[in-house]
Amino acid sequence: MGRSTRRALAAVGILTGVLVVGALAGMAMALASDSEDSGVITHTTDEDPQDVLDYWTPERIRDAEPAPMPIPD
């Protein structure tokens, strides 16, 4: 077997490995995003954006306290 043949086989092997790892990573990401408990909490509101801007005066922003953060199980 010549040197160029070995290089070609090595390149094909490396490319195959990269494709397999990429496919597995894609499948893992797809499965993770399909889980029901992803840890992301969403909230929708019907508030008028201008009302929100009017509410948050500089004084309210200065006096605001952060919301409590969840503690992971």
Side-chain angles (χ1 to χ4, degrees), residues 1-16:
M1 193 180 312
R3 180 179 290 182
S4 62
T5 304
R6 277 187 248 139
R7 284 187 181 171
L9 287 175
V12 168
I14 291 170
L15 180 59
T16 302

Side-chain angles (χ1 to χ4, degrees), residues 31-52:
L31 289 173
S33 67
D34 287 343
S35 68
E36 290 182 23
D37 185 17
S38 66
V40 176
I41 298 172
T42 61
H43 176 77
T44 56
T45 181
D46 294 331
E47 296 285 335
D48 179 24
Q50 189 59 50
D51 289 344
V52 175

